[in-house]
Amino acid sequence: MSNPRALTPELPRSLAARRPRIAVIGDALLDGWMTGSCDRLCREAPAPVVDVSKEDFVPGGAANTAVNLAALGAESLMVTAVGDDVPGDRLVASLRSAGVRTEQVVRAPGRITTTKRRIIAGDQLMVRFDDGDRGPLAPDVSARLAYAVSCAVAGTDAVVVCDYGTGVLGPEVIEAIKAVRDGIPLLVVDAHSLSRWQELKPDVVTPNANEIAALLGSALPSDAAGRLAVLERERGELAKLTGSRAMMATLDRDGAVLFDGDEPPHRTWARPAPDNFTAGAGDTFVAALTIAAAAGTPLSTAAELAQAAADVVVHRPGTAVCSWAELAERLGSDQGALSDPRQLVKAVEEHRAAGKRIVFTNGCFDVLHRGHVAYLNQAKRLGDVLVVALNSDKGVRRLKGPERPVNNESDRAAVLAALSCVDHVVLFDEDTPADLLRALRPEVYAKGGDYTPEMLPETPIVRALGGEVHILDYLSDHSTTAVIDRIRTGSS
């Protein structure tokens, strides 16, 4: 079976083949999408008239997380309470048709299932209207849901809690999860109010910017750099407030940032899409993160996989779902990742004309490991566009010996390009990327390892071109040679 630690097209396939059992506990709702055309205003008021030609209803909220998990290959169980009404029937039927188990969905007589309806004309969202009960469940329904939680959690590989404040997850449900917490290998909490779940000590929490601001009692800066600075400064306080081991802060168009214990922050970069195409992208992100983490994938790699999955769905209208096959295709789309040097010069000039700061680094990147990923992530944060110059197979053999590289240049380029922090990958045959540096004139040259700038032959070239040289963190126990030696000796 494929390595569940490498960000390649094989990773989604490997995760699907494992078929982990994952329970989703939370606020399930029905998403309605009414699409049509608009070419006039009504007589009663200056309001657009939409001639609706199509109406679709799909699972939303926690139910969309459960559907995404099923599409990614998990054995997905939905634990929730919905009304004993037509929308509730429609929601349960939709879950079943998507391959989600629903035996622990509790029906609540007299309760109105939460439904969010959107009217779309062309690509424009015209209006959204919501209905449904948002108060606490009746005591008997809450008791039934608490029992359903205890039944569903047994034997799971992970549990995802989706608490969006509809009243479904009351104190009885929290106590039921608390009672079985020791038996949950991985607890992921996606909640508007994370303080409610602090006592359960989640393994991972996934707050957005507004939820983080609520925890800290103050708004976050609007710019990405300002937000990241606040998050890094307050990471210890946020860990205390949420009780979590790791926090995956989602920042919409600015991607996400992972804080995992004492590890350096790991940021992902999104591929932005129109706002009306982003419904449910957070659910997809949480689902992909969870299925990867449940298989033992490092959280930094799981975060990259989650970002790739979210990037798939944000470029589709409606509440979309990402399957493991689509995710594999998305990662496989980087197989032709190598840039032509002449085209890259033009692309970099366009980036620079747009006011973007170019960061350049180089290396063999033979067996991509966590040290590489952390180093490339740091490099990207020094600017806006990251160019990675990759030693050709011939160059690697000349530098490392006849048994290297382990992976050929096309495979190495594809794995690098799959990282959200990498914008361009270009090949070079020489021992140093001097010609590329002169052609691209990067503002920053970044290098990882136990070097000083004066030790690098590239430093005089970069400085003569007006650029800066940055030496990044060196993780000595994560060298490629050490990884290959462990593989050859069979040690862990």
Side-chain angles (χ1 to χ4, degrees), residues 295-320:
T297 304
L299 280 179
S300 57
T301 305
E304 292 288 341
L305 190 78
Q307 186 65 66
D311 288 343
V312 169
V313 301
V314 298
H315 290 86
R316 299 173 181 168
T319 307

Side-chain angles (χ1 to χ4, degrees), residues 190-487:
D190 180 23
H192 288 343
S193 178
L194 282 166
S195 57
R196 297 186 71 213
W197 302 94
Q198 178 190 35
E199 205 175 344
L200 274 71
K201 299 191 179 304
D203 295 295
V204 185
V205 293
T206 59
N208 60 30
N210 290 334
E211 291 156 358
I212 292 169
L215 282 167
L216 296 176
S218 61
L220 294 181
S222 58
D223 63 296
R227 287 181 177 185
L228 291 170
V230 171
L231 291 174
E232 289 194 42
R233 186 176 69 244
E234 301 291 347
R235 65 184 294 183
E237 181 65 15
L238 287 166
K240 291 178 184 176
L241 291 170
T242 62
S244 63
R245 176 178 66 83
M247 181 180 76
M248 190 78 236
T250 56
L251 304 174
D252 299 321
R253 289 173 173 271
D254 293 323
V257 60
L258 169 68
F259 296 98
D260 183 8
D262 295 328
E263 295 287 335
H266 179 89
R267 186 179 168 190
T268 67
W269 278 260
R271 297 183 178 181
D275 289 340
N276 57 312
F277 278 33
T278 60
D283 305 325
T284 302
F285 188 102
V286 170
L289 181 78
T290 302
I291 193 172
T297 304
L299 280 179
S300 57
T301 305
E304 292 288 341
L305 190 78
Q307 186 65 66
D311 288 343
V312 169
V313 301
V314 298
H315 290 86
R316 299 173 181 168
T319 307
V321 174
C322 179
S323 69
W324 70 263
E326 291 167 326
L327 185 51
E329 183 180 358
R330 158 69 181 82
L331 296 174
S333 67
D334 295 313
Q335 292 293 343
L338 284 167
S339 298
D340 176 87
R342 287 172 294 185
Q343 293 177 346
L344 180 58
V345 170
K346 183 178 179 181
V348 166
E349 288 174 352
E350 291 172 352
H351 289 314
R352 188 173 285 115
K356 295 182 178 179
R357 183 175 166 91
I358 312 301
V359 182
F360 182 104
T361 191
N362 64 282
C364 299
F365 301 104
D366 191 2
V367 178
L368 198 72
H369 51 70
R370 188 173 61 169
H372 287 141
V373 174
Y375 147 61
L376 291 167
N377 206 267
Q378 288 181 56
K380 173 63 174 271
R381 293 179 66 180
L382 296 172
D384 304 299
V385 176
L386 178 60
V387 177
V388 179
L390 185 66
N391 291 82
S392 67
D393 290 347
K394 182 171 62 176
V396 174
R397 283 191 290 272
R398 191 165 58 248
L399 292 170
K400 303 287 185 178
E403 294 185 351
R404 300 281 295 276
V406 173
N407 295 302
N408 65 45
E409 58 197 34
S410 295
D411 288 345
R412 289 183 286 128
V415 173
L416 283 169
L419 295 172
S420 64
C421 61
V422 176
D423 297 287
H424 301 282
V425 183
V426 61
L427 209 63
F428 70 101
D429 283 322
E430 300 79 16
D431 289 344
T432 73
D435 291 342
L436 281 170
L437 286 168
R438 293 188 182 98
L440 299 177
R441 298 178 294 107
E443 281 75 18
V444 180
Y445 176 63
K447 193 68 177 173
D450 52 351
Y451 301 105
T452 65
E454 290 67 32
M455 294 169 62
L456 300 172
E458 298 87 354
T459 295
I461 299 170
V462 174
R463 288 177 173 169
L465 294 168
E468 307 169 6
V469 178
H470 282 262
I471 303 300
L472 303 178
D473 293 345
Y474 177 58
L475 300 177
S476 59
D477 60 336
H478 288 106
S479 73
T480 300
T481 302
V483 172
I484 293 173
D485 287 345
R486 286 199 296 271
I487 293 171

Side-chain angles (χ1 to χ4, degrees), residues 7-50:
L7 190 68
T8 69
E10 291 304 313
L11 179 55
R13 297 187 182 97
S14 172
L15 297 175
R18 288 168 177 262
R19 195 159 172 75
R21 189 171 187 265
I22 302 176
V24 180
I25 304 171
D27 298 318
L29 54 90
L30 194 64
D31 268 344
W33 296 86
M34 305 163 69
T35 57
S37 59
C38 176
D39 56 13
R40 68 191 190 279
L41 299 177
C42 69
R43 294 181 179 181
E44 297 90 341
V49 176
V50 179

